[in-house]
Amino acid sequence: MTNSFADFGKAKMIFVIGSNMTEAHPVAATFVKDAVLAGARLIVADPRRTPLVDFAERHVQHKVGSDVALLNSIMYVLISENLYNKDYVDSRCSGFKELKAKVMEYPPEKAAKICGITADAIHDLARELASVKPAMLMYTLGITEHTCGVNNVLSCANLQMLLGNVGVECGGVNPIRGQNNVQGACDMGALPNVFHGYQRVDNPENRTKFEKAWNVKDLPAKPGLMLPQMVEAVGEGKIKGFYIFGENLANTEPDIRHVEHCLKSAEFLVCQDIFPTETTKFAHVILPAAAWSENDGTFTSSERRVNRVRTAHPAPGDAKPNWWIFKEIAKRMGHVWTSNSAREIWDNEIAAFGPSMAGIKYARLENDGLQWPCPNEDHPGTFFLHKDRFASGLGKLVPVEWTPPAEVPDDEYPLVLSTGRRLYHYHTRTMTGRSGGLNDLLREERADISAEDANARGIEHGEMISVRSRRGEVVVRANVTDMIPPGLVWMAFHFREGNANWLTNPVYDPTCQTAEYKACAVQIGKLT
Amino acid sequence: MDKTTFILNGKETAFTPGQTILEAARNVGVTIPTLCHLKGSTATGACRVCLVDVKGARTLMASCSTPVTPGMEVTTNNERVLKTRKLIVELLLSSGHHDCIVCEANGNCRLQDLAYECKITELKFPRPDTCYPTESENPLIVRDFSRCILCGRCVQACNEVVVNRAITLGYRGSKSKVATGGDGSYSDGDSECVFCGQCVEVCPVGALTEKKAKGMGRPWETRKIRTTCPYCGVGCQQLLHVKDGRIAKVTAVEGAEPNQGRLCVKGRFGYDFLYSEERLKTPLIRQENGDFKEASWDEALDLVVSKFKGIIEKHGSDAVAGVSCARSINEDSYQMQKLFRAVFKSNNIDHCART
Ligand code: SF4
Ligand code: SF4
Ligand code: SF4
Ligand code: FES
């Protein structure tokens, strides 16, 4: 996020797009609700009637996968009615002309058809957004989990820059991260193209720096494969040794059948985890790891805040901290790593060789942590990004074209399936499924459908139905709810039985390889 | 006299216009006990424990809801205040079944503290024979109405802090009760409760407690360890209450960024997976017949190393790949990418940032 959670409660205008915050990030949502009680205005754009809509002055229920059209059209109105922040765009941004040319192709009348809403709704939304300064934009996976995910993100950024809302308190572009340490895993260089702190591997200076830091030669220059490509390559036999740390790929990746086929093909699969999972079944070696609260360390939250995680008690049996396991493997291959605790790893390596985190040391993390960038030990951390100037100089406005999801409904599969998380569980339930009480609150997967679609098929609320896509079929309980507009089916991936990923489409954003979890075509029907 | 001062216990004291007597007093270190007052929400004045003597006022005033005015003369600790406060606490003590020994809140109860501070040594008034029955149908929170002092903090927290609007003060007079929509269990169909547990967090007595914490440790037996929630990317700050190597319960850290004393259902109640019998406790190696056999760390790690070495020698560094974990600590992800880059010489390292 460019901004901080503390802004949520103070914001005057909030635009939430593609985020069911009350279930996925409940505490963040409480601050949005507080802001509304204190007089802030809230606009929600979401295909579903999410609980936050109760607090919104406007709900735009656009179609799944039409975000770019909606956002471009909002910008059309802002530019044609001169409601954008001209001074800001002139002095701080580049690419306005190109952006303008593109968004002018999206008059509300045209976009309205793509989005399944009225042109007036787009006009009004644009005017409302422009009427309060600054406005804060938040999004989640509803924006990113599409084949056009990167374009969706760029559109959000375009909109906020056009309004002059980036680089100020209570403004910005704010993706709330789904997992506790996705931000951190990225920051730490668990990505194929960068060392930690986003230092690119294809830059020779960076490689030289890390060759010295790690006392090695010939660090690889070519960016590696992204996760979906790895899984494919494992299936094709190009990757022979596959090491999975903590992820339950067999349930979380789209098209479970295909993923399992790939995992089965690995010549040697290592799984390092705290529980046996559907994925560890395919392993040749399983390494037992210490869990959260069984060792010291840090997480980095969505607001770039590095927070301490502390030890409450030792790990069970022979389970070991993950960092120790990696260090032992390195040692057996002739590499002696000197750091011998999470604290030493952070202070002596991560801070030492990551300029944006150089000022973050364990000694400074006792209370509320620190938000990077934090370049030196006197730096208080950064509450919001891009103040006065963008990190890269000028804020780049990037024209983007709307593209439909890879698979759209047709006669055979007439409904759109969209997926996500529910309140009482987390991902594949390896943790929540084993925490007392949470299973009692939600025991099984459900398919949320509209009353219209249920009636048309004679489906009663609560009956078991079949949901089928080109990739598979699941049998789940129908949950008829007014959260869902006609034409949409919504499911989660918490349970193995009825997991939406038997159905989802393994197609990916070409740039970042995020899967299109949010849109594929399905049919539903009564059990025969 | 300066416009923005008042007289507090005989001393000229500065205040900021708009402050309540309670806030102005706390500002200069004068403590006034409170029960129903909940920072950040509208004062209800329900408990009257915070009464003070304001010169010229006919009755004692609730300091949590009375704004200071310039020149106001306030006494917080005279005979009249202390006597009235004691009486109020005595009445509260007899309003329900406050038998501390068997109460989950023993040692963590504002009413117990107040009774002690007021030097109460016996129960003056008879306690009621009947109370509403305890609600413990829901899986996570015990609602013991016999210990509820109707302070309204839970209602304030639910409606004004986390804004889930699941409970209200229902019925009237002696029938008063905190109720969900439909006045059933928290988990009933028509209840809006989302089990964030904020009501438990703010309940000053033993009326709302965590079911899973029962018998797991008294407040004076547990170590409180600050940590960060392992679920979503908000990064809420938690206090783990730990006894004998086990988390007894989880509460929120007051006043901490980003969560300001709040948690959600997963952060508050999703911790005991740690103690599941299914935890992996020893390295496992797959045998010819497909079954896993237990192994030592040396066996398992030697096997990993020999296999990866063999694959890299035969097929090159591009033939290995690794997926790191977006749930685990930074230091683990750092080590894993270092292992792949520095040792395996491969940039085939990623994690599921994309789900
Ligand atoms: S658990 Fe949360 S939602 Fe439920 S009554 Fe308590 S405060 Fe309200
Ligand atoms: S349940 Fe607790 S917080 Fe709620 S009114 Fe009763 S005593 Fe007060
Ligand atoms: S308590 Fe809830 S909102 Fe806070 S970090 Fe944990 S899962 Fe997220
Ligand atoms: S604390 Fe003031 S009336 Fe209860």
Side-chain angles (χ1 to χ4, degrees), chain A residues 25-27, chain B residues 229 231-232 234-236 263-264 266-267:
Chain A
H25 306 96
V27 170
Chain B
C229 175
Y231 288 102
C232 87
V234 176
C236 293
L263 292 174
C264 78
K266 291 182 283 267

Coordinates of all heavy atoms in Angstrom, one line a residue, chain A residues 25-27, chain B residues 229 231-232 234-236 263-264 266-267, ligand 3:
Chain A
H25 N -10.2 -9.0 5.3 CA -9.4 -8.1 6.2 C -10.2 -7.4 7.2 O -10.3 -6.2 7.2 CB -8.6 -7.1 5.3 CG -7.9 -7.7 4.2 ND1 -8.4 -7.8 2.9 CD2 -6.7 -8.3 4.1 CE1 -7.5 -8.4 2.1 NE2 -6.5 -8.7 2.8
P26 N -10.8 -8.2 8.1 CA -11.9 -7.6 9.0 C -11.5 -6.4 9.8 O -12.2 -5.5 9.9 CB -12.2 -8.8 9.9 CG -11.8 -10.0 9.2 CD -10.6 -9.6 8.4
V27 N -10.3 -6.4 10.3 CA -9.9 -5.3 11.2 C -9.7 -4.0 10.3 O -10.1 -2.9 10.7 CB -8.6 -5.6 12.0 CG1 -8.1 -4.4 12.7 CG2 -9.0 -6.7 13.0
Chain B
C229 N -0.2 -11.2 14.1 CA -1.1 -12.2 13.7 C -0.6 -13.0 12.4 O -0.1 -12.3 11.5 CB -2.5 -11.5 13.4 SG -3.7 -12.7 12.7
Y231 N -2.4 -14.5 10.1 CA -3.4 -14.7 9.0 C -3.2 -13.6 7.9 O -2.4 -13.8 7.0 CB -4.8 -14.8 9.6 CG -5.0 -16.1 10.3 CD1 -4.9 -16.2 11.6 CD2 -5.1 -17.3 9.5 CE1 -5.1 -17.5 12.3 CE2 -5.2 -18.5 10.1 CZ -5.2 -18.6 11.5 OH -5.3 -19.8 12.1
C232 N -4.0 -12.6 7.9 CA -4.1 -11.7 6.7 C -3.0 -10.6 6.8 O -2.2 -10.5 7.7 CB -5.4 -11.1 6.5 SG -5.7 -9.6 7.4
V234 N -3.0 -7.5 7.3 CA -3.2 -6.3 8.1 C -2.1 -6.2 9.1 O -1.5 -5.1 9.4 CB -4.6 -6.2 8.7 CG1 -4.7 -5.0 9.7 CG2 -5.7 -6.1 7.7
G235 N -1.7 -7.3 9.7 CA -0.6 -7.3 10.6 C -0.9 -6.9 12.0 O -0.2 -6.2 12.7
C236 N -2.1 -7.4 12.5 CA -2.6 -7.0 13.8 C -1.6 -7.4 14.9 O -1.0 -8.5 14.8 CB -4.0 -7.5 14.0 SG -5.2 -6.8 13.0
L263 N -9.1 -7.2 17.0 CA -8.7 -8.4 16.3 C -9.9 -9.0 15.6 O -11.1 -8.5 15.9 CB -8.2 -9.5 17.2 CG -6.8 -9.3 17.9 CD1 -6.5 -10.4 18.9 CD2 -5.7 -9.2 16.9
C264 N -9.7 -9.9 14.6 CA -10.9 -10.5 14.0 C -11.0 -12.0 14.5 O -10.1 -12.4 15.3 CB -10.9 -10.5 12.5 SG -9.8 -11.7 11.8
K266 N -10.2 -14.8 13.2 CA -9.1 -15.7 13.0 C -7.9 -15.3 13.9 O -7.3 -16.1 14.5 CB -8.7 -15.6 11.5 CG -9.7 -16.3 10.6 CD -9.2 -16.3 9.2 CE -9.4 -14.9 8.5 NZ -10.7 -14.7 7.8
G267 N -7.7 -14.0 14.0 CA -6.6 -13.5 14.8 C -6.8 -13.9 16.3 O -5.9 -14.2 17.0
Ligands
SF4_3 S1 -6.6 -10.3 13.3 FE1 -7.7 -10.6 11.5 S2 -7.6 -8.6 10.4 FE2 -5.9 -8.7 11.9 S3 -4.1 -9.5 10.8 FE3 -5.2 -11.2 11.8 S4 -6.5 -12.0 10.2 FE4 -6.0 -10.0 9.6

